[in-house]
């Protein structure tokens, strides 16, 4: 059974107090950079940046609530290495793959802005001159 207590216990077992401190510091630094108007890219202004900002804020809330490090889909622990690479990660590797497959099968485009034309099918690279 996946009770909140059992889920919190699983999360606590796979991440040490030191891991959690490092991850909290990384998330706070990301938050600071996303909100900093003096940062090279300025404060989070585009849709992707706002999504990252929301993910970072949500990860900090999960840390405060003791739910950090558990997959949102299956409630199993997210791999420690994945969290160290992407501290705001919400899904374990199998669930991430499943979500990607589901998006691909439904034709969802995640990188285009709403209302923008679909990406070109033309491949990047040098053009060949006519007649060659």
């Amino acid at each position: 059974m996946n009770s909140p207590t059992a889920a919190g216990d699983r999360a606590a077992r796979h991440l040490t107090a030191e891991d959690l401190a490092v991850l909290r510091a990384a998330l706070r630094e990301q938050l600071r950079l996303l909100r900093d108007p003096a940062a090279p890219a300025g404060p989070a202004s585009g849709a992707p940046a706002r999504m990252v900002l929301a993910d970072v804020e949500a990860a900090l809330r999960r840390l405060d609530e003791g739910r950090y490090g558990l997959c949102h889909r299956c409630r199993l622990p997210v791999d420690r290495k994945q969290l160290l690479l992407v501290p705001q990660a919400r899904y374990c590797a199998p669930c991430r793959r499943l979500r990607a497959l589901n998006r691909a099968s439904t034709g969802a485009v995640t990188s285009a802005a709403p209302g923008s034309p679909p990406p070109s099918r033309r491949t990047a690279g040098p053009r060949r001159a006519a007649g060659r």
Side-chain angles (χ1 to χ4, degrees):
M1 179 160 79
N2 281 341
S3 71
T5 304
D9 290 346
R10 278 197 307 275
R13 282 196 299 263
H14 93 292
L15 295 170
T16 66
E18 183 179 317
D19 289 337
L20 292 171
V22 166
L23 290 162
R24 184 182 300 275
L27 287 164
R28 285 184 176 154
E29 179 65 10
Q30 278 188 12
L31 194 61
R32 185 187 68 75
L33 290 172
L34 287 165
R35 290 181 173 167
D36 185 2
S45 57
R50 285 192 304 270
M51 289 173 57
V52 171
L53 178 63
D55 286 346
V56 169
E57 289 170 337
L60 285 167
R61 277 192 304 277
R62 289 192 305 274
L63 264 167
D64 292 341
E65 296 167 357
R67 299 181 298 113
Y68 181 80
L70 295 176
C71 178
H72 278 224
R73 184 176 178 278
C74 70
R75 307 304 300 157
L76 292 175
V78 175
D79 185 62
R80 178 182 177 273
K81 289 180 184 178
Q82 173 65 20
L83 290 170
L84 292 172
L85 287 172
V86 184
Q88 68 271 23
R90 293 182 288 158
Y91 299 98
C92 65
C95 289
R96 268 195 331 273
R97 283 191 291 275
L98 183 62
R99 284 176 49 85
L101 286 172
N102 287 341
R103 284 184 175 158
S105 69
T106 61
V109 177
T110 58
S111 60
S116 65
S120 170
R121 294 187 185 268
R122 185 176 59 190
T123 59
R127 287 188 167 177
R128 292 187 168 204
R132 282 193 185 182

